[in-house]
Amino acid sequence: EIVMTQSPATLSVSPGERVTLSCRASQSIGSNLGWYQQTPGQAPRLLIHDASTRATGLPDRFSGSGFGTEFTLTISSLQSADSAVYYCQQYNHWPYTFGQGTKLEIQ
Amino acid sequence: QVQLVQSGPEVKKPGASVKVSCKASGYTFTNYNINWVRQAPGQGPEWMGWIFTYNGQTNYAQKFQGRVTMTTDTSANTAYMELLSLKSDDTAVYYCARDDHPLPAHWGQGTLVTVSS
């Protein structure tokens, strides 16, 4: 099973800033990587698939990059609504696996 | 619009089973597979498996093999996930999610299953 490791566990930033979240896979997954945003009591919301393709309707403040084992999610011009837990997930090998998440707090 | 509406919360005793439903609307049910994902309190999500809605073929994560059954009723546009022999660490929110190639963009609201004696 592929282990997904996210860093940092928690991040606190100010509105308007830019932030980069990291995700590492225990073995190569090509570009088969997705990012989700989850707020309390809600289902995960798909942000990015194929490492860098934004989901329909997602503003271009969100961008993903990476290949193989190292991936990043960058969010620019942070807004209070971006406060959430962000998960990466690989779908190159079954079973698909998620990271433990990065909690993003907007001060 | 696409909607996935799940059944309500459940409280079960260890050793019991639970069956969660997921009713789809707003699209042709058999054109998209349904995934099941669960999330224990304070943990990341965990992919359980999926079902091909057009023929009922399933693919389960090995962790759940022998304990999970995913089915559909195409006449009711509904998918089901049954988990047997419940343990306390099965306490989680269970989600159904439509396979939007390559990943699910539409999710149910989640069903909390609590396993407690």
Side-chain angles (χ1 to χ4, degrees):
Chain A
E1 178 172 307
I2 293 180
V3 177
M4 306 300 292
T5 303
Q6 293 186 242
S7 61
T10 304
L11 203 51
S12 185
V13 294
S14 299
E17 290 187 352
R18 170 179 156 145
V19 68
T20 297
L21 284 57
S22 296
C23 175
R24 173 179 293 177
S26 61
Q27 64 187 82
S28 179
I29 58 171
S31 60
N32 295 317
L33 189 283
W35 289 94
Y36 297 83
Q37 177 193 65
Q38 188 176 34
T39 52
Q42 301 297 310
R45 171 196 177 194
L46 180 65
L47 301 176
I48 300 281
H49 61 85
D50 297 333
S52 61
T53 302
R54 278 185 290 273
T56 303
L58 187 70
D60 59 9
R61 301 188 297 108
F62 294 83
S63 63
S65 65
F67 185 87
T69 60
E70 301 284 341
F71 301 88
T72 58
L73 173 69
T74 299
I75 313 171
S76 60
S77 304
L78 280 165
Q79 304 173 1
S80 57
D82 298 330
S83 289
V85 179
Y86 291 82
Y87 294 100
C88 63
Q89 179 236 319
Q90 67 81 20
Y91 52 100
N92 194 63
H93 297 284
W94 184 249
Y96 300 162
T97 47
F98 291 83
Q100 285 303 299
T102 291
K103 184 176 183 179
L104 177 63
E105 299 173 338
I106 312 299
Q107 298 168 339
Chain B
Q1 75 281 21
V2 175
Q3 278 197 305
L4 299 171
V5 179
Q6 298 183 220
S7 47
E10 303 265 12
V11 179
K12 297 291 183 180
K13 294 193 181 304
S17 63
V18 68
K19 191 170 186 176
V20 178
S21 68
C22 169
K23 183 170 177 59
S25 62
Y27 70 98
T28 301
F29 182 67
T30 51
N31 282 357
Y32 296 85
N33 304 324
I34 292 289
N35 302 282
W36 288 92
V37 177
R38 76 177 187 179
Q39 188 170 27
Q43 303 297 311
E46 181 177 30
W47 212 287
M48 300 179 69
W50 67 71
I51 182 165
F52 291 99
T53 52
Y54 72 97
N55 66 0
Q57 183 179 344
T58 53
N59 187 29
Y60 303 142
Q62 186 171 8
K63 174 177 180 176
F64 301 101
Q65 289 275 1
R67 242 184 8 117
V68 70
T69 303
M70 297 175 188
T71 57
T72 59
D73 178 350
T74 56
S75 68
N77 292 341
T78 300
Y80 301 91
M81 187 284 300
E82 184 174 28
L83 190 61
L84 310 177
S85 303
L86 290 168
K87 302 168 284 189
S88 59
D89 61 4
D90 290 318
T91 293
V93 177
Y94 290 75
Y95 293 102
C96 62
R98 192 182 83 164
D99 186 352
D100 290 299
H101 314 299
L103 288 174
H106 297 90
W107 294 62
Q109 83 276 20
T111 296
L112 176 61
V113 175
T114 303
V115 183
S116 174
S117 54

